[in-house]
Amino acid sequence: MLYQLSNSVREAAHSGIREIGNLAIKRPGTIRLEVGQPDFPTPPHIVAAAKLAMDEGWTGYTATAGLLSLRERIAGKLQRVNGITADPEAEITIGPGGVGAIAALVGALVEPGDEVLLPDPGWPNYRLMTTWSDTRAVYYPCPAENGFGPDLEQLAALVTPRTKVLVVNSPNNPTGAVYSQDVQRALLEIADSHGVWVVSDECYDELVFDGEFKSLATFGSDRVLSAYTFSKSYSMTGWRIGYATGDRQVIDGAVKVLESNSSCVSTISQKAAEAALDGPQDCVGEMRDAYRRRRDLACAQLEEHGLLLARPSGAFYVMADVSAAGIDSRSFAIKFLEERGVSVAPGTAFGEVGAHAVRISLASSEADLQEGIGRLAEFLA
Ligand code: PLP
């Protein structure tokens, strides 16, 4: 049968991380270092709240923006953690994961033909958002020599009259970079001077290892939309719940986009999210401490072999240099998996800047990290 699919969607590549993951699944015993999700179970008090919600009949639709009682709790978290003041009635919407919230913001802001500035290396899902929105992805380099921070001169030079949105992701996937306040101010200056909206993906806001993390929206610009998730801080990836905050007209637009594609996030997940915010926050700190320990361990081992590109300060990833292999990182990742039984995410999945690097996930046990990095060093040698 001849399918008439959307050209832009048909031509877009699937995730290059999934490709390696699918190969790894077929090889039992593989050390999985490509996976980008926490390896901890969802804390039991959150699971219990979901069970109770079902028993109590919280099983119907909610408002598209989510339960007001949850948005009120989110307003409290935004104030406590991010220093952001938001009206729960008009300036917050819940979405299906951080990704759903970000996609709704993009959908609310862009017209076909607009340009969207994306980080390279960057999370591949942003690129896919430019396919269905019929916009053009323009990549700003965040090179390893810069600690994977943005090259501000190059970024400024990429702005055109069609630039509508600048996507900023700090703490960053895949590099773990957390941008300094000077860099944050400079990014906002570029955006503000050109009337560009900023979508600040702060999904790893509570996974920062060194120093303080400051949310971009607290620097005084009113063109910043911020996105968050329960996936990372509370190990709730499968519950599919995140949220966005910012200008009320943009949030209202995002709600319309969400109306068209999800109606609302699962009510059971929303009740679980309430429990996450109401309950003790030690679980967030304990997971962060575990990632920090793994970061220290992995960095020391990579450094010893001259493979560390930059020390991550947040999120749960570290980039390793595989340029010694003399091949692109996708070919390298496949070969490494087949010959040494370890799966890593190829830098090519995140853009061109990381073409000779691989991403190692710290959401893996210390033993797996040690063994996997040991095999990487050996293989490269
Ligand atoms: N943003 C970044 C940079 C991510 O890495 C992820 C998940 O991997 C997300 C957003 C969204 O995650 P979720 O949709 O599970 O909230």
Side-chain angles (χ1 to χ4, degrees):
M1 192 191 289
L2 183 65
Y3 291 105
Q4 304 255 305
L5 301 180
S6 145
N7 280 338
S8 56
V9 173
R10 190 187 54 227
E11 281 161 20
H14 277 285
S15 159
I17 313 168
R18 268 293 147 78
E19 183 189 14
I20 301 296
N22 290 341
L23 291 173
I25 289 166
K26 293 190 197 131
R27 301 177 69 90
T30 297
I31 295 180
R32 304 282 300 271
L33 301 184
E34 95 287 1
V35 187
Q37 68 172 331
D39 58 330
F40 301 101
T42 303
H45 66 280
I46 300 175
V47 177
K51 289 180 182 164
L52 183 66
M54 281 188 272
D55 288 339
E56 286 182 345
W58 291 92
T59 52
Y61 293 122
T62 68
T64 303
L67 292 165
L68 183 58
S69 51
L70 174 56
R71 281 180 276 149
E72 284 167 350
R73 286 166 169 86
I74 288 172
K77 178 269 175 182
L78 287 169
Q79 193 77 71
R80 173 175 62 84
V81 177
N82 308 98
I84 294 173
T85 304
D87 173 359
E89 302 243 25
E91 292 170 337
I92 295 173
T93 183
I94 291 150
V99 67
I102 296 165
L105 291 173
V106 169
L109 290 169
V110 298
E111 311 271 10
D114 281 346
E115 293 172 5
V116 180
L117 286 161
L118 300 177
D120 178 1
W123 190 44
N125 298 47
Y126 306 136
R127 170 179 50 79
L128 286 172
M129 290 174 199
T130 61
T131 62
W132 55 253
S133 61
D134 228 348
T135 51
R136 199 163 84 80
V138 177
Y139 297 96
Y140 61 94
C142 304
E145 310 84 77
N146 224 8
F148 288 117
D151 179 325
L152 295 164
E153 256 175 50
Q154 285 209 50
L155 169 56
L158 290 168
V159 179
T160 76
R162 290 310 309 252
T163 308
K164 181 64 86 59
V165 176
L166 164 64
V167 175
V168 175
N169 176 215
S170 166
N172 183 276
N173 177 10
T175 65
V178 178
Y179 302 164
S180 71
Q181 293 189 21
D182 284 347
V183 168
Q184 288 180 302
R185 268 187 219 101
L187 286 170
L188 286 179
E189 249 172 59
I190 294 171
D192 279 340
S193 61
H194 294 90
V196 169
W197 288 98
V198 179
V199 170
S200 187
D201 176 352
E202 301 184 4
C203 281
Y204 295 92
D205 63 333
E206 298 200 74
L207 295 178
V208 174
F209 310 133
D210 314 309
E212 190 203 356
F213 170 67
K214 228 170 126 49
S215 287
L216 210 49
T218 61
F219 285 81
S221 164
D222 51 11
R223 303 187 72 88
V224 178
L225 292 313
S226 316
Y228 302 92
T229 184
F230 287 86
S231 290
K232 314 292 176 182
S233 323
Y234 298 98
S235 197
M236 290 176 69
T237 48
W239 300 73
R240 309 309 308 131
I241 181 159
Y243 49 99
T245 187
D247 177 274
R248 61 185 60 211
Q249 282 184 48
V250 180
I251 293 298
D252 185 54
V255 171
K256 289 183 196 166
V257 175
L258 290 166
E259 243 157 45
S260 78
N261 63 21
S262 65
S263 293
C264 70
V265 167
S266 153
T267 309
I268 301 153
S269 294
Q270 293 191 50
K271 294 305 283 180
E274 287 188 1
L277 294 176
D278 284 348
Q281 300 300 300
D282 321 18
C283 52
V284 181
E286 282 161 15
M287 289 191 262
R288 179 174 48 235
D289 289 347
Y291 295 132
R292 185 190 287 111
R293 270 198 310 278
R294 295 171 187 177
R295 188 271 314 254
D296 291 344
L297 207 118
C299 284
Q301 209 180 345
L302 287 169
E303 208 160 23
E304 189 189 317
H305 297 286
L307 303 178
L308 181 65
L309 282 168
R311 187 178 172 81
S313 295
F316 42 65
Y317 310 101
V318 57
M319 296 289 270
D321 182 8
V322 297
S323 55
I327 50 176
D328 71 274
S329 58
R330 177 180 170 269
S331 313
F332 174 82
I334 295 171
K335 212 168 145 62
F336 183 42
L337 170 64
E338 285 172 349
E339 296 182 23
R340 296 297 162 99
V342 183
S343 53
V344 289
T348 45
F350 306 97
E352 285 177 14
V353 170
H356 296 285
V358 295
R359 185 193 74 176
I360 291 171
S361 169
L362 304 172
S364 323
S365 71
E366 290 183 18
D368 276 359
L369 277 169
Q370 218 155 4
E371 180 62 30
I373 295 173
R375 289 190 205 176
L376 179 72
E378 216 179 74
F379 192 53
L380 283 166

